[in-house]
Structures are given as C-alpha cells and as structure tokens.
Amino acid sequence: MTMELREDEQVRRGIEKVLKDSEEYAKRLLEVDADRVVIVHHDDADGVAAGALLKLALEGKFSTHIVCLEKTYPQIVKKLQAQGKEPIIYVDLGSPHAPLISELNELKRTIIIVDHHDLELKGEIGEEVMILNPEIYGVDGGTYACGASLAYFFARSIRRGMERYSGLAVIGSVEIPGEPRGLNLLAIGEAVRAGVATYDEKDKKSKVLWDGRFTKPEVLSTKLTVMASVGYYQEGPQKALESCVRCSWTGVENFLSLLEEKRKRAYSNVMSRLQYTGLNKLRRIQWFHVEDQFHDMGVKVIGTFCSYLMHQRIVDDDKVLVGMMNMRNDVPGLGALEGSYVKVSARAPKKVLTLIEAGSLEPLSKVLAEAAKHLGGFGDGHAAAASGIVPKGREREFVELMDRLLAKEERGPEKRVGRVTLEKFLFPKKVEK
Ligand SMILES: [Mn+2]
C-alpha cells in the first residue's frame, strides 16, 4: 500500500515536471525565427493523432511540412536534418535515437522530441534538442502517457482552445493496455469537460466524438493505423491525419475499405503459401520471406502479419519467429534512400520469452539490432518483439547470425543469470512495432 502510494506520488511529480517542460519548450519554439516547422510522426494511430494535434497547434504561426516515418532509420534522420534550418518536431518516435538526432544536428536547429518510448541518453544531447518524455523523470511512458497525450499537452502550451481536439489524445491512448492513467487520464478529463468525449468510471472506458457520434476510440485507432501504415505509399498518413483534424471519415471511407481488402488478400495469399511450404528452420529461429507479396504497403504489415501468425499452428512455440519483406527505397515526403533493404520483424513465442526473461536467451531487441547493424542495417524494439532493416541480399546471413547471437552461452564470458520477477512474468511488455 505504501509502495503504491509512493509510486503514485512519483508519477504525479513526474507528470507535473513534464507539463512544466511543455510550457518551456513551447515558449522556446515560438521564439524561433522561422516560417516553417517540420513535423515527423509515427505511422500508427497514436503517431497520426499526435501529428494532427501539432499541426493544429502550429497553424497560423508556422506553415508545416509533415513527414510520416515507419521507423527512425538513421539514414532518414541524416537526410531529413541535412536540409533547411527550420525546427523539427519528432513525435511518437525518436527517443531511442535521441543521441543520434542530436549528433546529426550540425545546423544547430531547434529540435523537439515529443515521445513516450524508452529513452536513450547515452551520449551527449545538445542544448538545441529538447525532449518531452516522462521517462526522463522515471515515469513509465508505456503506462502513463502516449504520443498523442504528450502532443496534446504540448499543443495546449502552444495555443489556446486546443481542448476541443483533446479527443485525439484519447484515441492515441488506446495503444496503452489497461485503464487510462497519468497523462492519458488527464487528457480524458479535459476531453469530457470539453464535451468531445465520455468516460465511464465503472468500466474505465471512454468514447470520442467522431462524425457527430460518440464512438469507441479502439475502432477509430485501428482504422487510423490501417490507413497510415497499409496506405503508407498512397498518401494514407496524410488522409489519416486530415481525418483526425476533422474528426470524421468523410471522403475516405472507400479508401479505407480498399486498403483493408488489399491487406486481407495479401495476408491470405502468403498464408496459403506458408501452409504449403512451411517455415524455414534454424536452431532457435523459424523464418519466412514474403519477397514482394506485400508490395506497395508500409512495412508495418509484416509485423502485424507475424503477430497474426503467432496464433497459427505452423509456428513452433520454441523458436523465434522472423518475417521479412522487400522494402521500397523511398520515403514519401523525403525522397529516395540509398541502397535496397528488407524489413525484418521478430516475435518471441511464450516459451522463448520465458527463456529470455530467465536470462538464458538474449532479448530480441538486442540480437536483432546487433545482427542488423553488423550487416549494415539497423534495428530496435523490445524483448518479445523487435524489428529493423537489413540490406537486400543478406537475409540468410542475418537469420543465421541472429540464431547464433540468441544463445547467451555461445557469446562468451558475460554470463549472467537473470531472474523472472512476478511483474515481468505477469506483464511482459508487449508493444507492436
Ligand atoms: Mn505511441
């Protein structure tokens, strides 16, 4: 009980500090002498809702250039920051790459990272780079915040009257499992007061005003994610963001159902092929490559497909699942990338996760990132789910290397026996990447 109270107190204080930072960063942003601000947001509902909130807040003060990123690829950060001098706001992404973002800020422009993901602070962060993230104050951003809630409070620090858009923060919050807490709960309070959401104290569920009706935010969130990610190369992110600005699907209903249909067809094609061929198997990994079967869809679809596959019988429960797809080498709004890459996505079945938690296997985030980096790619994620990119043509080397890296005893001396805490066992961090 005391422990709980102490935690609550720590969260409350942390959030107060985040809100103070928000005011300060907004002030600094408004003092910048620029016509334009670049907003870089993530490709899921939380990122889209957050991007919309920032666009709305900046309207009339700056023009905005909006880029949707599926991941914070170092090569993209480099390209993005090499041009222009206007401020950049990264939202719902960027925290794990804060040192790189800072290092690549040669033009010393104002950069604000508004994010709730785990923060990497190894290395120096320049004073032009501001980070709005509760993790700085020891408050878990995966529990007490989301990208859109943070963006909402930041937007409110920039401009008055943002309350009527607070429902967007509620939509973003849906990716956080369990009852709303911290900043997410604060945003719901504001949305209810503004008349754009309802909240049922009993079941801790909210509804958001959308197309003139109070609608479950879960439904809105799923659709926004499909639009932005499956439709990534068809202006899906812009359409999703505009839908958020209008709190309406008007004009995009057809587009949305075409995307849902397209993804379903692609999934079932790959599924029937895999049922016929089976998965490729190594000692600790089972893998497949869809090549161009998800062509012209954003790379999130391979991750979602892996998650779906985890519930199917063709997946062994004692091997890590790895899926790959060919990637297009352009980023809408940013142009071509150098080289050809494949997107890789990994998931740990329960049995594997238990071994990871017990310390006899390495977390996926670590081995995937290490293997990808070794081959000239990059990766990140969590213990049970990770993703990244590797150069096209090196897929086999990648899975073989990852297979070797997974086993701790084959890595050399740094042997250390971990412990499964009850917390870790009951609530493994599950984040869709
Ligand atoms: Mn998020």
Side-chain angles (χ1 to χ4, degrees), residues 42 44-47 50 91-93 115-117 141 145-148 172-173 175-176 431:
H42 197 207
D44 61 6
D46 188 28
V91 65
D92 194 34
L93 45 73
D115 191 16
H116 67 127
H117 292 100
C146 69
S173 307
E175 71 175 27
I176 308 294
V431 176

Side-chain angles (χ1 to χ4, degrees), residues 37-43 46-48 50-52 54-55 58 64-73 76-77 79-81 86-95 101 109 111-115 151 232 241 331-334:
V37 171
V38 179
I39 300 171
V40 183
H41 69 90
H42 197 207
D43 70 341
D46 188 28
V48 169
L54 294 179
K55 181 187 152 98
L58 296 175
T64 49
H65 177 64
I66 303 180
V67 177
C68 175
L69 287 190
E70 307 184 280
K71 273 177 106 53
T72 327
Y73 304 120
I76 296 179
V77 173
K79 182 158 185 182
L80 194 68
Q81 295 186 181
E86 64 272 69
I88 298 180
I89 308 176
Y90 290 95
V91 65
D92 194 34
L93 45 73
S95 291
I101 288 172
R109 65 168 98 218
I111 294 178
I112 307 174
I113 299 173
V114 179
D115 191 16
Y232 188 66
L241 196 143
V331 174
L334 204 60

Side-chain angles (χ1 to χ4, degrees), residues 254-311:
N254 252 342
F255 178 63
L256 185 61
S257 53
L258 284 174
L259 291 176
E260 281 167 339
E261 195 46 46
K262 180 177 172 178
R263 181 175 67 166
K264 201 169 135 195
R265 212 178 319 121
Y267 277 13
S268 88
N269 285 344
V270 172
M271 198 59 214
S272 35
R273 179 170 68 82
L274 289 181
Q275 256 150 2
Y276 182 70
T277 61
L279 300 167
N280 304 296
K281 285 176 192 176
L282 301 171
R283 243 177 105 190
R284 300 172 193 92
I285 283 178
Q286 50 195 327
W287 64 278
F288 65 99
H289 198 325
V290 307
E291 304 287 349
D292 290 321
Q293 284 190 280
F294 292 163
H295 182 63
D296 276 347
M297 287 183 259
V299 295
K300 194 187 282 295
V301 293
I302 188 72
T304 315
F305 185 73
C306 284
S307 298
Y308 161 73
L309 212 56
M310 293 281 279
H311 303 288

